[in-house]
Amino acid sequence: MTKPNNSPAPAARQHRLPPVRVKVFRADGKIARVHPPDGDGKNWWRRLNKALGTTSSDFVNASLFQIQSASRSPWGGISELSMNAALAMIEAAAPKDEIEAALAVQMAACHVAAMAVLAKMDVAFATERRIAAFGSAAARLMRAYATQVEVLRRLRNGGQQFVRVEHVHVNDGGQAVIGNLKKQDSQD
């Protein structure tokens, strides 16, 4: 009897390494110390720097604390799963510098918050008013996330628009066509 292939489907970009991860050791419910999950501290720190587009240890530490603050479990502690998911999102954004990394951290935190609010809409004893408030908050967070994605795109590609203005003269008895034209191959 053969076992079914339960391995995950290959990623679209197979050359990608698995995202950088952290192992959380809880100091208390509000602050946790993070460590490399496999014990290779030097390589782990290098990957964190690359994931956050920086060479600054202070920026990495501050970003990890910000991710911790956003990565709360429903029971109040810090969620290692949520932290690692946020790091994967940040690494996928591939920030080139601290500005882009700060935006990527905000995007990950905004996504986590939106999903947490959406999860609260499914509470058994929720009133219509409470569901409407959660729905509105979730919509605002998702709109903020979409705006952040657009800001990152503009930051990378420049916010410049290209407008071409052409002036066409049409004399009496002439015809003009406005718009994009496609040439069709004639097969006579």
Side-chain angles (χ1 to χ4, degrees):
M1 189 167 126
T2 61
K3 292 184 179 180
N5 183 3
N6 292 331
S7 63
R13 295 182 273 172
Q14 290 185 0
H15 64 277
R16 272 181 64 180
L17 290 172
V20 65
R21 299 176 49 83
V22 296
K23 181 75 178 161
V24 175
F25 294 105
R26 287 164 180 71
D28 63 27
K30 295 182 182 178
I31 299 247
R33 291 184 359 179
V34 294
H35 297 280
D38 57 3
D40 184 10
K42 189 173 184 178
N43 187 40
W44 174 71
W45 195 255
R46 183 187 56 75
R47 286 203 58 206
L48 279 172
N49 277 289
K50 185 175 181 198
L52 290 164
T54 187
T55 57
S56 169
S57 294
D58 291 333
F59 184 80
V60 172
N61 280 320
S63 297
L64 286 173
F65 281 122
Q66 291 162 354
I67 295 166
Q68 274 185 35
S69 296
S71 299
R72 297 280 172 196
S73 75
W75 302 277
I78 296 166
S79 170
E80 185 176 291
L81 175 69
S82 183
M83 278 196 75
N84 286 324
L87 281 170
M89 282 184 75
I90 293 163
E91 193 168 10
K96 297 177 192 121
D97 57 26
E98 290 81 1
I99 299 295
E100 287 187 9
L103 185 56
V105 169
Q106 289 175 21
M107 290 167 58
C110 189
H111 174 73
V112 169
M115 296 302 107
V117 170
L118 285 172
K120 290 182 180 189
M121 288 179 65
D122 192 23
V123 177
F125 302 107
T127 63
E128 283 185 38
R129 187 175 182 184
R130 184 178 169 110
I131 289 172
F134 283 141
S136 176
R140 285 192 310 270
L141 285 165
M142 290 186 287
R143 194 169 29 256
Y145 178 80
T147 301
Q148 291 165 332
V149 170
E150 178 61 19
V151 167
L152 181 61
R153 186 197 63 77
R154 276 191 269 136
L155 184 63
R156 288 184 174 165
N157 300 329
Q160 301 169 347
Q161 294 182 353
F162 178 74
V163 177
R164 183 172 67 188
V165 178
E166 295 181 9
H167 190 78
V168 178
H169 291 279
V170 179
N171 296 323
D172 288 339
Q175 294 180 347
V177 177
I178 298 174
N180 295 327
L181 300 176
K182 290 185 180 179
K183 271 188 172 179
Q184 293 195 355
D185 295 332
S186 60
Q187 296 177 342
D188 294 69

